[in-house]
Amino acid sequence: ESYLPPKKEYSNLNWVNSLEEGFQLAKQEDRNIFIDFTGVTCTNCRWMEANVFVKKDVHDRFKEMVLC
């Protein structure tokens, strides 16, 4: 069984594409950083995005962090 990339229900979150920029922003704002290591064909990654990242409590916690 394979999974396609999700429709990005969590895409309204502000993701930083540069790790360096993410670290700088986290330091400036005194926030924790969440680094999402993912791959297009990673089945576990697709499952997490579709089933965990969309949960309200996870989504709320992500809003407190710098997301990379």
Side-chain angles (χ1 to χ4, degrees):
E1 182 175 4
S2 64
Y3 292 96
L4 296 175
K7 293 182 181 179
K8 301 269 185 181
E9 287 89 12
Y10 60 94
S11 64
N12 61 337
L13 295 170
N14 186 23
W15 291 85
V16 178
N17 291 323
S18 164
L19 188 57
E20 183 177 325
E21 182 184 343
F23 279 116
Q24 289 175 356
L25 186 59
K27 186 175 182 178
Q28 283 176 335
E29 298 179 1
D30 193 30
R31 293 194 295 159
N32 289 327
I33 188 167
F34 178 86
I35 302 172
D36 182 25
F37 294 93
T38 188
V40 174
T41 60
C42 174
T43 304
N44 292 332
C45 299
R46 300 291 80 81
W47 189 92
M48 291 289 289
E49 291 167 350
N51 296 288
V52 177
F53 285 13
V54 295
K55 290 185 176 189
K56 184 181 179 340
D57 56 333
V58 174
H59 196 268
D60 291 345
R61 182 68 184 206
F62 276 169
K63 289 179 182 178
E64 300 172 2
M65 300 179 193
V66 173
L67 306 174
C68 285

